[in-house]
Amino acid sequence: MLINELSKKTGISTHTIRFYEKSGLIEGKQDVSVKSNNYFHYDEVTIEKLEFISDAKSVGFTIKEIGQIIDAWYNRKYTKKQKNEILDEKLISLEQKMKEIKEMKKQLLQFKEDVMKDRC
Amino acid sequence: MLINELSKKTGISTHTIRFYEKSGLIEGKQDVSVKSNNYFHYDEVTIEKLEFISDAKSVGFTIKEIGQIIDAWYNRKYTKKQKNEILDEKLISLEQKMKEIKEMKKQLLQFKEDVMKDRC
DNA sequence: AACAACATTAGAGTATGCTCTATAGTTGAT
DNA sequence: ATCAACTATAGAGCATACTCTAATGTTGTT
């Protein structure tokens, strides 16, 4: 599929898709047999990747981190061991985020109590 | 205390402290009885606020959101009811973040399994 | 052939959250 | 009095992650 279809299927603008492509997160293929244009073609895996990018952004991963994860997932440039290391590292950072959110939740509940008891 | 002491006590640079002050997150007081300078003085509450700001940034709250929370906590400009609404809203967004992180964790564990079983 | 709707690239512009520089004045120890 | 170490303000610069504009070319329908 071409970029417009990809955009419609994922809800991500063509501008942003091109930005992600420049950033190395996704990769379209040009059809060498077609000489009249240099349109990029995208496959189903790209849709999966873009959906993953959206989710990964929500949890606070940077483009660079997302790139690492996608490479650990869909790339041949790492060994099995390296892929596992990258993924474990990201899992640890998720645990950390989780912990921080729990702490913040406690803090906000404390604020609520302070408000209720006119302590601030 | 003056800004330098505040900076040392919180580990936040004077530049960043001034940035937070401009952004309305904290507020120093000038001593009107001293006419030779216009130095700002900060109290213990400002330390608490700065510590809160650091924690709140880690969980992904924006400066604007942090401002709202600090106002709900330490400001007279909202009613009890409004304060509670703001805090509840932020608690809900924390729940959302938590959910997203759990999903992402599942996803990364799936990637690990895919790697292990040579499915990618 | 005309024309809307698509495609490409390069690069400018925007928002957020700092981070640093420049300039100028103040304080406190020697 | 001097001087290091502080203070303030204004504004420039930077990194991240888009977002948009401009210029130019292609495709497919009428």
Side-chain angles (χ1 to χ4, degrees):
Chain A
M1 81 196 84
L2 296 180
I3 196 162
N4 199 36
E5 193 180 342
L6 183 61
S7 171
K8 272 166 191 156
K9 279 190 177 159
T10 58
I12 297 171
S13 78
T14 57
H15 285 301
T16 301
I17 291 172
R18 290 209 173 96
F19 169 74
Y20 290 154
E21 184 147 21
K22 262 191 211 161
S23 308
L25 302 187
I26 59 160
E27 216 178 329
K29 275 171 202 155
Q30 284 174 325
D31 189 341
V32 287
S33 69
V34 175
K35 263 132 193 170
S36 62
N37 71 41
N38 49 350
Y39 291 5
F40 284 89
H41 295 262
Y42 303 92
D43 56 14
E44 295 300 316
V45 169
T46 306
I47 294 179
E48 275 189 73
K49 284 184 183 174
L50 286 174
E51 279 163 358
F52 175 76
I53 291 166
S54 296
D55 294 346
K57 276 182 355 87
S58 313
V59 304
F61 282 133
T62 63
I63 295 287
K64 200 176 161 186
E65 286 177 308
I66 296 170
Q68 291 178 323
I69 299 171
I70 288 179
D71 284 348
W73 177 33
Y74 257 109
N75 204 300
R76 282 106 203 84
K77 79 180 179 193
Y78 295 124
T79 65
K80 238 173 169 177
K81 191 164 166 273
Q82 285 173 318
K83 286 180 173 192
N84 255 308
E85 276 168 11
I86 291 165
L87 292 172
D88 281 337
E89 188 191 305
K90 301 309 173 198
L91 278 164
I92 288 168
S93 91
L94 285 182
E95 289 299 337
Q96 181 59 31
K97 284 177 206 283
M98 195 94 97
K99 223 167 148 184
E100 286 165 352
I101 287 171
K102 277 179 188 161
E103 282 304 311
M104 182 52 56
K105 212 175 133 184
K106 268 188 208 164
Q107 181 99 72
L108 294 190
L109 286 169
Q110 184 59 54
F111 288 178
K112 277 196 70 163
E113 215 180 302
D114 289 351
V115 167
M116 194 174 68
K117 294 187 178 165
D118 289 310
R119 273 201 297 254
C120 65
Chain B
M1 80 195 86
L2 297 179
I3 197 162
N4 199 35
E5 193 181 342
L6 182 61
S7 171
K8 273 167 190 157
K9 279 188 178 162
T10 57
I12 296 171
S13 78
T14 57
H15 284 301
T16 301
I17 291 172
R18 289 206 174 97
F19 169 74
Y20 289 155
E21 184 147 22
K22 261 192 211 159
S23 308
L25 302 187
I26 60 160
E27 216 178 329
K29 276 171 202 156
Q30 284 174 324
D31 188 341
V32 287
S33 69
V34 176
K35 263 131 190 169
S36 61
N37 69 41
N38 50 350
Y39 292 4
F40 284 90
H41 295 261
Y42 302 91
D43 57 13
E44 296 299 316
V45 169
T46 307
I47 295 179
E48 276 188 72
K49 284 183 183 175
L50 286 174
E51 281 164 356
F52 175 76
I53 292 167
S54 296
D55 295 345
K57 276 184 350 91
S58 312
V59 305
F61 282 133
T62 63
I63 296 286
K64 199 176 161 187
E65 285 176 310
I66 296 170
Q68 290 178 324
I69 299 171
I70 288 178
D71 285 347
W73 177 32
Y74 258 110
N75 205 299
R76 282 107 205 83
K77 79 179 179 194
Y78 294 124
T79 65
K80 240 175 169 175
K81 192 165 166 273
Q82 285 173 316
K83 287 180 174 193
N84 256 307
E85 277 167 12
I86 291 166
L87 292 171
D88 282 337
E89 188 190 306
K90 300 310 173 198
L91 278 164
I92 288 167
S93 89
L94 286 182
E95 290 299 338
Q96 181 59 31
K97 283 177 207 281
M98 194 90 99
K99 224 167 147 184
E100 286 165 352
I101 288 171
K102 277 178 188 162
E103 283 302 313
M104 184 50 59
K105 211 176 133 184
K106 267 187 210 165
Q107 181 99 72
L108 294 190
L109 287 170
Q110 183 60 54
F111 288 178
K112 278 195 69 164
E113 216 181 298
D114 289 352
V115 166
M116 195 176 66
K117 295 186 177 165
D118 290 310
R119 273 202 298 252
C120 65

